Amino acid sequence: MAHDTFETQIHKRCTQAKILIVDDSPIFIAMYESMLSELGECYCVGSAKEALSLLAKHDFDVALFDHHLPDGTGLRLCKMVRRVHSSRQLPIFIITGSSDETLEQKCWEVDCSDFISKPFHAITLKHRVLAQLRLKFAVDLLQETSNQDQLTGLHNRRAIDDVIQRRSLRKGHVFSIAILDVDFFKKFNDEYGHQAGDECLVKVASIMKSCVRGPDKLSVRYGGEEFLILLPDTELKDAIAIAERVRSEVAKAQIPHIKSPMGVVTLSAGVATYGGDCLTWRALLKAADECLYQAKREGRNRLVSAL
Ligand SMILES: Nc1nc2c(ncn2[C@@H]2O[C@H](COP(=O)(O)OP(=O)(O)OP(=O)(O)O)[C@@H](O)[C@H]2O)c(=O)[nH]1
């Protein structure tokens, strides 16, 4: 299947954007909606309070704040959003009819992405919003691709750092990991060729994707034929169940491997949970890795867990 080019993907996203409009004037809201309708879906509210509650529920791609709001100012709202949602890449426009010459400077200081004075032309607004969306989607796509393994489409090692930074290991938080490794993969490559080896890794990854669900759980291609599952807020027994499911589904897929005593492609797995002896990421990884090697020593196609 041919993949969309980078430019095509950005173009597509620029017609499906989620746009937040905050203005207490129904006339202006209707105007913005008609100016921006080609770029995506507009969510319109009349106050800062309503805007904050929508921002808590949705990931918007761009936001337009009128400066004068019944319960504050666009400037204050922008400042608050930058503080509360600091990890988001959200372009924020502040739009004003005010003649206060110092206002623009203050808006740049709270990190607005663009500042527009009324009156303005529809074409100006549309293209300035489009320019911000293009930039946002380009950054989003670069981030997505830089965190993705090209062969399998799983996350790569770089993505692990993001999760660990967001969900740092803390006392009172459960965090489990599973390391899974294809058994006798060198022999598989030697027997069937490197391309068949690649296809096998793609199949294993696709089984893993179907077994590991949930926005926080991350399937990673950690190295050649080694995979990692990051399981925040997951107790050891649940982590074992997930990894065991991946192991058994791969065995059930019956991918032929005549050079393995099992006759089919199998996985060995090691599972460990943060806590006890594992109080750092390195210690957690080491514990899971030791379990994996125990599983290999004990005959492969099995799972060993710490504790
Ligand atoms: N086809 C293919 N092979 C790869 C890739 N990355 C690593 N490999 C191969 O994976 C094999 C891993 O071999 P080993 O580390 O000896 O492990 P193994 O043969 O699976 O043995 P055990 O882990 O002990 O069961 C090597 O032959 C690598 O060349 C890849 O992207 N594609």
Side-chain angles (χ1 to χ4, degrees):
M1 195 179 69
H3 290 289
D4 283 340
T5 62
F6 198 71
E7 187 53 40
T8 312
Q9 290 187 58
I10 292 177
H11 182 75
K12 252 192 210 163
R13 291 186 189 200
C14 285
T15 60
Q16 297 161 4
K18 271 175 104 167
I19 305 165
L20 174 63
I21 297 172
V22 191
D23 196 311
D24 61 337
S25 154
I27 297 171
F28 270 104
I29 290 235
M31 230 173 67
Y32 293 137
E33 276 193 295
S34 82
M35 289 171 184
L36 303 176
S37 60
E38 282 170 44
L39 305 181
E41 192 180 353
C42 296
Y43 294 66
C44 308
V45 289
S47 66
K49 190 171 170 224
E50 289 169 293
L52 288 168
S53 114
L54 268 191
L55 279 157
K57 290 185 216 138
H58 299 271
D59 249 338
F60 287 102
D61 298 310
V62 64
L64 278 64
F65 300 161
D66 186 41
H67 182 57
H68 288 285
L69 296 171
D71 55 350
T73 62
L75 175 79
R76 256 187 64 195
L77 181 58
C78 177
K79 196 172 173 182
M80 202 176 303
V81 174
R82 292 294 187 231
R83 184 164 47 81
V84 178
H85 302 287
S86 57
S87 61
R88 282 195 200 173
Q89 288 250 5
L90 176 68
I92 297 177
F93 281 73
I94 298 180
I95 302 178
T96 183
S98 163
S99 53
D100 175 359
E101 284 180 5
T102 65
L103 180 61
E104 177 167 353
Q105 176 62 28
K106 289 179 194 153
C107 288
W108 292 119
E109 282 166 10
V110 296
D111 196 23
C112 76
S113 314
D114 204 349
F115 178 90
I116 297 191
S117 294
K118 291 177 194 167
F120 52 81
H121 294 296
I123 191 168
T124 309
L125 181 76
K126 183 182 153 189
H127 284 275
R128 280 166 74 167
V129 170
L130 184 60
Q132 289 290 337
L133 283 174
R134 287 182 57 79
L135 192 61
K136 179 197 187 280
F137 290 136
V139 172
D140 284 355
L141 270 168
L142 283 172
Q143 251 163 13
E144 287 162 27
T145 46
S146 71
N147 284 349
Q148 198 178 45
D149 172 54
Q150 270 202 322
L151 176 69
T152 61
L154 293 183
H155 295 278
N156 60 18
R157 285 174 91 123
R158 204 194 309 254
I160 298 176
D161 296 337
D162 286 355
V163 175
I164 295 170
Q165 268 165 21
R166 270 189 284 122
R167 309 290 304 265
S168 56
L169 302 177
R170 285 189 302 270
K171 264 206 162 116
H173 285 245
V174 191
F175 197 117
S176 296
I177 62 167
I179 306 184
L180 300 104
D181 186 279
V182 182
D183 296 322
F184 302 114
F185 195 58
K186 184 177 180 322
K187 288 184 177 169
F188 186 95
N189 271 330
D190 292 346
E191 178 66 21
Y192 301 99
H194 204 266
Q195 197 177 332
D198 282 359
E199 285 160 17
C200 171
L201 293 175
V202 171
K203 274 188 206 153
V204 169
S206 122
I207 292 170
M208 193 173 286
K209 273 183 219 164
S210 67
C211 296
V212 182
R213 298 229 182 88
D216 278 352
K217 300 182 174 44
L218 212 72
S219 300
V220 179
R221 179 158 177 232
Y222 195 57
E225 26 57 280
E226 195 166 69
F227 299 88
L228 197 64
I229 310 175
L230 299 191
L231 300 160
D233 301 317
T234 309
E235 303 281 353
L236 182 66
K237 71 170 174 29
D238 299 321
I240 291 173
I242 294 169
E244 178 54 25
R245 176 135 190 262
V246 177
R247 191 206 58 76
S248 76
E249 290 298 319
V250 167
K252 268 194 232 157
Q254 304 266 313
I255 306 164
H257 187 347
I258 54 164
K259 289 292 158 75
S260 159
M262 278 66 81
V264 291
V265 169
T266 56
L267 301 181
S268 295
V271 183
T273 297
Y274 171 74
D277 291 341
C278 309
L279 291 172
T280 61
W281 167 251
R282 277 170 73 111
L284 183 60
L285 203 57
K286 187 164 175 271
D289 211 33
E290 278 165 8
C291 291
L292 169 66
Y293 279 92
Q294 190 181 332
K296 292 273 181 190
R297 275 197 311 272
E298 289 176 0
R300 298 178 172 82
N301 189 27
R302 69 196 61 215
L303 180 151
V304 172
S305 65
L307 301 175

